Amino acid sequence: MLDHILKFMTLGTIIVGVTAIYTALHTNNRRLGADIFLRYSERISDLRRRLPTAAFHDEGAGGAIEMTPDERRIVHEVIFSIFELKVHGFVPPGIWKIREPDIERVLSLPVFQQELAVVQGRFAKHPRFAAWLDQIGQAKA
C-alpha cells in the first residue's frame, strides 16, 4: 500500500513539473514574440521618423517621386524589416494584427509603392520575398 502511495506521489510530482515547464515555455514564447514585435516596431518607427513628412502624403502618385539615396535606403530598410517581421513568423498572428492596418497604409503610400517595384525587380529570385510582394500588390488592387 505504501508503495502505491509513493508511486502516486512521484507521478503527481512529474505531472506538476511537466505542467510548470509547459506553462513557462508558453509564457516565454509569448513574451519573446511581443519583445521582437516591439523592437521591430520601434525600429520601423525610428526609420519612418527619419523620412521627410512629404513621403507620407498621397500626392505625387502620378510620376516618380524624387528621393535622396539616404531616404531610399530608409524606405528599403522599412520594407525589409516589415518583411522579416511578417513573413518569417517571428510574431504570433494575434500580436501582428495590432499594427497591420498601419503597416498596410504605409506600404500603400506612393513612395513605398515606387520602391516596392524597385525592390521586386532586384529580388525576383527570392521566392518568399517575391510572394510577399505579390501579396501586397494584390491587397492594394
Side-chain angles (χ1 to χ4, degrees), residues 33-141:
D35 189 44
I36 289 171
F37 174 75
L38 291 174
R39 290 188 190 268
Y40 266 93
S41 293
E42 182 179 322
R43 175 170 169 66
I44 291 168
S45 294
D46 288 344
L47 289 169
R48 285 173 50 183
R49 279 192 287 276
R50 292 174 49 198
L51 288 172
T53 55
F56 298 99
H57 299 297
D58 288 333
E59 296 92 32
I65 299 166
E66 293 295 323
M67 289 190 294
T68 66
D70 190 48
E71 292 169 349
R72 182 161 286 158
R73 181 189 56 76
I74 290 170
V75 170
H76 288 203
E77 283 186 40
V78 169
I79 292 168
F80 297 140
S81 294
I82 292 170
F83 169 73
E84 290 172 351
L85 190 63
K86 171 72 174 166
V87 175
H88 287 298
F90 292 146
V91 179
I95 295 174
W96 173 257
K97 293 287 182 191
I98 296 169
R99 289 284 300 267
E100 188 172 29
D102 180 50
I103 289 172
E104 287 176 355
R105 186 187 64 76
V106 167
L107 290 176
S108 70
L109 291 171
V111 169
F112 285 88
Q113 286 297 309
Q114 173 181 310
E115 293 307 309
L116 280 168
V118 170
V119 170
Q120 189 170 19
R122 203 170 357 147
F123 288 92
K125 293 184 179 182
H126 189 295
R128 289 182 79 183
F129 192 70
W132 180 68
L133 292 174
D134 289 340
Q135 180 184 4
I136 291 172
Q138 291 172 358
K140 183 185 167 233

